[in-house]
Amino acid sequence: AQTVTQSQPEMSVQEAETVTLSCTYDTSESNYYLFWYKQPPSRQMILVIRQEAYKQQNATENRFSVNFQKAAKSFSLKISDSQLGDTAMYFCAFMKPMNYGGATNKLIFGTGTLLAVQP
Amino acid sequence: GAGVSQSPSNKVTEKGKDVELRCDPISGHTALYWYRQSLGQGLEFLIYFQGNSAPDKSGLPSDRFSAERTGGSVSTLTIQRTQQEDSAVYLCASSLGDRGGSEQFFGPGTRLTVL
C-alpha cells in the first residue's frame, strides 16, 4: 500500500521569503502522479501543482515549484515570494492512475503542513 | 462555470440518526469521489464513481455508510445510525476521469457533527 508522509506539522515564513515543505512517499509503482493541494480556512481544497512520475523535469506554477526526487521518493514544494494569501494547510497526495492495475485515481493524502505567512 | 457544490454546509445530528449528504459535481465530469477529513484519521478516501462502472467502495469504513450517484451526476452519501466518530468534514470531488492523473476539483465540504 502507498503511504505519504509530511513530517512538518507546522511552518512559518515571513512575507516575501521562500519556504520549502517536505513530503516523502512509499510505493512500489513505477508510474504515478503526485500533487500538492492547498486548503485555506474556507475549507476549499485547491490544486497547487501536479507532477507525473515519468517526467524528470520538475513542475512549476508561477511562485510554486517542486523538487521531485524519484529514487529518494521525495516531493517537496517550494513557495517563493510568500504572500499572506498563501497561509493555509498544504497536503501532499499520491495517485496511482486508473490506467494501471484497476486503480481508481483515488488520492492518498499526507497529514498536512500548516503554513503561516507572517507580515 | 460552477464548481463542485455540496449541501448542507453544516449538519448537526444526534447519535443514532441517519444523515444524507449531497454532492453536485462539475457538469461533464464523469468521475466523482467522496473523502472524509477528520482530526484522528486525516484525509481518507471513501468511495469512487466512474461513469456506469461499478463504484469502488473500498474506503467505506462500515456498512452504515453507503453512496449512490443518480444519472451519472448528483451523488448522495448516506450514513445510517450515526456515531460520534462519524463527526468529520465530508469532501466531494469530481474530475474528467478520462485519463490517469486527472485533476480532482473539490467542493467546500459538509461538516458533520454527531452529538
Side-chain angles (χ1 to χ4, degrees), chain A residues 8 16 23 26-27 29 37 39 42 44 46 55 57 59 65 76 78 81 83 101-102 106 110 114 117-118:
Chain A
Q8 305 153 314
C23 173
D26 187 24
T27 184
E29 303 294 332
Y37 274 88
Q39 187 179 40
S42 66
Q44 186 87 42
I46 303 164
K55 289 188 175 180
Q57 186 173 6
S65 62
S76 61
K78 185 171 82 170
D81 185 26
Q83 300 176 0
K106 66 185 179 187
L114 181 60
V117 179
Q118 307 293 341

Side-chain angles (χ1 to χ4, degrees), chain A residues 37 107, chain B residues 2-6 23-35 48-50 69 72-73 91-97 102-107:
Chain A
Y37 274 88
L107 291 167
Chain B
V4 177
S5 61
Q6 292 186 246
C23 172
D24 280 274
I26 293 172
S27 178
H29 281 191
T30 59
L32 187 147
Y33 304 79
W34 284 96
Y35 295 89
Y48 160 78
F49 296 91
Q50 170 58 48
R69 188 179 185 190
S73 180
L91 295 169
C92 176
S94 70
S95 73
L96 286 172
S102 294
E103 177 183 352
Q104 294 181 23
F105 295 82
F106 283 80

Side-chain angles (χ1 to χ4, degrees), chain A residues 33 35 37 39 42-45 47 50 91 95 97-99 104-107 109-110, chain B residues 9 33 35 37 43 45 48 56 58 97 99-104 106-109 111:
Chain A
Y33 293 83
F35 301 81
Y37 274 88
Q39 187 179 40
S42 66
R43 235 169 43 199
Q44 186 87 42
M45 295 277 281
L47 178 66
R50 185 183 84 157
F91 291 96
M95 176 194 288
M98 64 187 293
N99 299 353
T104 58
N105 270 0
K106 66 185 179 187
L107 291 167
F109 289 93
Chain B
S9 57
Y33 304 79
Y35 295 89
Q37 186 173 23
L43 264 161
F45 164 79
Y48 160 78
D56 176 0
S58 61
R99 59 182 175 86
S102 294
E103 177 183 352
Q104 294 181 23
F106 283 80
R111 180 179 296 280

